[in-house]
Amino acid sequence: MIKIRITHSFIYLFLVWNLFLAVIPFIISTYLISTPKLNKLMVLLWCLVWLLFLPNAPYIVTDLLHLNNGDSKLLWLDVLVISSFAFNGLILFYYSLIDIKEILSHRFNIKFPKSLTLCILFLSSFGVYLGRFLRYNSWEIIQKPINLFKDIIQIIFHPNQNAEAWLFTLLFGTFLTVGYYCFSNNRAFME
């Protein structure tokens, strides 16, 4: 609101929408953890929807790219605005991931929750790549599934032609992984 008041510009209003999308997986995981009587099939279906929306939460970090569009005299304010949204997106992401890990471990007796968590972190990173650079949205798995799957197959089976996708996924996935372990190890301290 301060940014809008000072600049009379709505340039970063999209961050509100991005944060709303980041809340969706958190709502799903909160629902699942507070509803223990759901059957396993429903839990799996909800987890699939959760996974489709999950990359929206860390996606906000990549909105830092928009710092180029602002007024250089107020760059500090732009950094604060985007960083605060990104921070909230990451908090929602990590809380949601911790809840889903707990749900899957208890309801499905998963033996390797750390491996599953790592897979989810890197899948989310790949989802962020699809959204930021290929401009796909979560709901396009329903609207444009053929285009989406063609692009995914192209990236997977032609890694040399898609080095940027692989590099981004590995580096951003590592960033999310380090953040996850810092967050999960210090979660008790923060509460």
Side-chain angles (χ1 to χ4, degrees), residues 56-96:
N56 290 305
Y59 175 90
I60 303 172
V61 172
T62 67
D63 285 329
L64 288 165
L65 293 172
H66 294 289
L67 289 172
N68 298 354
N69 304 335
D71 181 1
S72 61
K73 288 182 253 171
L74 294 174
L75 182 62
W76 63 270
L77 183 57
D78 293 348
V79 169
L80 285 176
V81 169
I82 295 173
S83 295
S84 66
F85 277 86
F87 179 75
N88 282 294
L90 287 173
I91 295 293
L92 291 166
F93 176 77
Y94 293 132
Y95 270 120
S96 183

Side-chain angles (χ1 to χ4, degrees), residues 62-182:
T62 67
D63 285 329
L64 288 165
L65 293 172
H66 294 289
L67 289 172
N68 298 354
N69 304 335
D71 181 1
S72 61
K73 288 182 253 171
L74 294 174
L75 182 62
W76 63 270
L77 183 57
D78 293 348
V79 169
L80 285 176
V81 169
I82 295 173
S83 295
S84 66
F85 277 86
F87 179 75
N88 282 294
L90 287 173
I91 295 293
L92 291 166
F93 176 77
Y94 293 132
Y95 270 120
S96 183
L97 183 55
I98 288 168
D99 286 348
I100 290 295
K101 179 182 169 187
E102 185 177 323
I103 290 164
L104 293 176
S105 294
H106 288 95
R107 293 194 188 178
F108 295 94
N109 199 21
I110 292 180
K111 304 286 186 220
F112 307 104
K114 288 184 181 181
S115 300
L116 180 63
T117 302
L118 272 175
C119 287
I120 291 170
L121 287 162
F122 282 91
L123 279 173
S124 294
S125 179
F126 184 63
V128 171
Y129 176 82
L130 292 173
R132 172 52 66 198
F133 298 103
L134 301 186
R135 305 307 297 157
Y136 282 109
N137 295 305
S138 298
W139 49 86
E140 287 182 311
I141 196 157
I142 294 169
Q143 287 182 329
K144 300 176 186 175
I146 293 172
N147 294 343
L148 175 62
F149 287 119
K150 278 183 185 177
D151 284 342
I152 291 171
I153 301 244
Q154 172 70 19
I155 291 168
I156 292 171
F157 291 108
H158 301 285
N160 292 336
Q161 296 170 2
N162 298 286
E164 180 185 44
W166 284 91
L167 183 62
F168 178 88
T169 300
L170 290 173
L171 292 177
F172 199 73
T174 302
F175 166 77
L176 292 178
T177 301
V178 169
Y180 172 77
Y181 285 106
C182 290

Side-chain angles (χ1 to χ4, degrees), residues 12-70:
Y12 292 132
L13 204 54
F14 66 87
L15 290 168
V16 175
W17 173 252
N18 288 354
L19 193 58
F20 167 75
L21 291 174
V23 169
I24 293 172
F26 179 75
I27 290 170
I28 292 170
S29 65
T30 301
Y31 168 72
L32 289 175
I33 207 153
S34 64
T35 314
K37 294 187 180 192
L38 280 178
N39 67 46
K40 287 185 178 186
L41 179 60
M42 285 305 296
V43 171
L44 284 176
L45 289 174
W46 275 114
C47 284
L48 182 61
V49 173
W50 171 83
L51 188 59
L52 291 175
F53 280 94
L54 187 62
N56 290 305
Y59 175 90
I60 303 172
V61 172
T62 67
D63 285 329
L64 288 165
L65 293 172
H66 294 289
L67 289 172
N68 298 354
N69 304 335

